[in-house]
Amino acid sequence: GTLTVGALLRDPRDRAEALPVIALALARDGALQLLPDDDVAVRPGDQLLMCGRGRGRRAQRLLLADGAVLAYVLGGRRTSGSFVWRRRERAVQRA
């Protein structure tokens, strides 16, 4: 799927849930857009200012750092590319 502002606000544990994080601004090509809509596409070179605390910030860092997590949030594809996802898949299988 396309990377949007809204995708960066999804919970990496359950993409149907939103993180307690908001997008305050998007800087692109010298222009600043305040409170960008969730459906705005994120392009290379864009800069986003996000606001969140605690769990929301930690979850968003995971989302931005791990390609497998981002693939899940964008398209629902779960891959076992990372330690976190392998552990999550095992826990889900046991439940």
Side-chain angles (χ1 to χ4, degrees), residues 10 14 17 20 33-34 37-41 44 56-57 63 72 75 83:
R10 307 311 316 164
D14 180 355
E17 297 294 322
Q33 180 180 354
L34 298 178
D37 292 331
D38 286 355
D39 62 348
V40 171
R57 282 182 45 169
L63 173 66
Y72 164 68
F83 171 76

Side-chain angles (χ1 to χ4, degrees), residues 10-46:
R10 307 311 316 164
D11 190 326
R13 293 176 301 172
D14 180 355
R15 70 190 198 120
E17 297 294 322
L19 289 172
V21 174
I22 61 170
L24 295 176
L26 169 69
R28 175 184 292 159
D29 299 327
L32 185 66
Q33 180 180 354
L34 298 178
L35 301 172
D37 292 331
D38 286 355
D39 62 348
V40 171
V42 177
R43 299 185 203 154
D46 285 353

